[in-house]
Amino acid sequence: MFQFLVVRTISLLPLCVLIVTIAFALLQLVPGDPAIVMLGIDATPERIAEMQVRLGLDRPLLERYLVYLANVAQGDLGHSNFLNESVLTAIAERLPVSVLLATMSLFWAVLLGVPAGVFAAAHRGSLVDRAVMFSSLAGMSIPSFWFGLILIMIVGVWLGWLPTGGYVSPFDSPWEAIRHMMLPSLSLGFIQMAQVARMTRSAMLEILRQDYILVARAKGMPEFTVLFNHALRNGLTSILTVLALIFA
C-alpha cells in the first residue's frame, strides 16, 4: 500500500508542473499591463516602471517562469497586491469557511441524494422514479446562485427562519454557525444531490439484477434490508467516487 501511494504521488509531479505552467501561461496571456491596471491610466511612466520592477515584469519571460516555479515548489504563492497580504495567508483565512460550506453541502447531498436514488431504483418506472429523475434534472439545470437568491427571498426574507448573510465561527457558536451556513449549503447541496441521486440510481439498478439480491428476496428478507444492507453496500464504490469528486 505504501509503495502504491509513493508511486501515485511521484506520478502526480509532472501533472502538477503542467498545471503550474498552464497557470503561468494564462497569466501572461491576459491583455494589458498589470502595473497600469494597478496604478491606473493616469500613473506616470516612472511609477509604472517602478511597479514593473517590483512585480518582476522587467525580467525575461523564462526567468520569470523559473522564479515562479521555484517559489511554488517552496510553498510561496506570492503576495496579493489587492489584498495587501500573502496569498497563503489569504487562503488560510478563507479555507475554514470553504471547508465548512463544502462539508455541509455534501451532507445534504448524501442525506437527500442517496435515499432518493435507492428508492428510485427500487421503484423503476414508477411515479417515485420519475419524480426523483425530474428533481435531479432540475437540480443539475438550475444555477446555484439563482437558487440561492430564491432561498434567501423565501426562507430568509419572507419567512424569516434563517439569516440571509454573515458568518459565525463554529468555535464561537456551533448552532449559529450552522444557521448561517444553512442557506448557502442547501443551495449548493441541492445541485450535488441531483448528481448523487442519479449515480446512486444507476449503481443500484445494476446491482438489483444480481443473483444474490434475488436470493435475499427469496429468503424473505425485508425490502429495506435488501436495499440498504446488500445492494447499497455493494454500490458504494461508484457512489463514494462521485462524492469525492464533488467534495474536491
Side-chain angles (χ1 to χ4, degrees):
M1 183 65 180
F2 177 75
Q3 183 179 0
F4 172 77
L5 292 176
V6 171
V7 173
R8 295 292 292 180
T9 302
I10 294 176
S11 64
L12 286 176
L13 292 178
L15 179 61
C16 293
V17 174
L18 178 62
I19 293 174
V20 170
T21 304
I22 293 175
F24 178 82
L26 290 176
L27 290 175
Q28 307 309 312
L29 292 175
V30 174
D33 190 338
I36 298 178
V37 173
M38 296 178 63
L39 296 175
I41 59 176
D42 297 329
T44 61
E46 291 77 13
R47 291 193 60 193
I48 294 176
E50 180 183 351
M51 180 60 70
Q52 288 176 338
V53 172
R54 178 182 172 186
L55 297 176
L57 299 177
D58 59 325
R59 303 177 183 176
L61 182 63
L62 180 60
E63 181 181 351
R64 278 186 283 161
Y65 170 71
L66 294 177
V67 171
Y68 178 76
L69 198 62
N71 291 337
V72 171
Q74 298 173 10
D76 182 10
L77 300 181
H79 184 83
S80 173
N81 295 283
F82 293 98
L83 299 176
N84 196 25
E85 61 181 354
S86 68
V87 175
L88 282 178
T89 302
I91 294 176
E93 291 176 351
R94 293 154 179 81
L95 186 60
V97 185
S98 299
V99 171
L100 179 60
L101 178 60
T103 303
M104 289 190 63
S105 301
L106 197 64
F107 169 77
W108 292 118
V110 173
L111 182 66
L112 302 176
V114 172
V118 170
F119 285 112
H123 303 85
R124 183 180 183 181
S126 65
L127 183 61
V128 174
D129 185 19
R130 294 176 182 176
V132 170
M133 289 299 97
F134 176 79
S135 301
S136 300
L137 180 61
M140 298 178 68
S141 304
I142 295 175
S144 59
F145 64 87
W146 181 85
F147 187 62
L149 292 175
I150 297 300
L151 287 178
I152 289 176
M153 183 175 63
I154 297 177
V155 181
V157 178
W158 291 357
L159 300 177
W161 289 349
L162 294 171
T164 58
Y167 170 74
V168 177
S169 173
F171 299 102
D172 297 333
S173 176
W175 172 244
E176 285 300 318
I178 293 176
R179 292 185 71 250
H180 281 76
M181 276 291 177
M182 191 70 71
L183 288 181
S185 65
L186 278 174
S187 63
L188 291 178
F190 181 70
I191 298 175
Q192 297 164 357
M193 178 272 294
Q195 303 178 26
V196 173
R198 293 178 68 90
M199 177 55 66
T200 303
R201 179 181 179 274
S202 299
M204 290 289 294
L205 284 176
E206 185 173 348
I207 293 173
L208 290 176
R209 300 191 189 101
Q210 302 299 320
D211 293 337
Y212 66 88
I213 298 296
L214 299 177
V215 172
R217 285 173 171 167
K219 290 181 178 179
M221 290 185 177
E223 188 68 12
F224 184 88
T225 303
V226 173
L227 292 177
F228 286 91
N229 288 4
H230 295 277
L232 181 60
R233 180 179 298 177
N234 289 279
L236 282 179
T237 302
S238 56
I239 298 173
L240 290 177
T241 302
V242 173
L243 292 177
L245 293 174
I246 290 175
F247 185 79

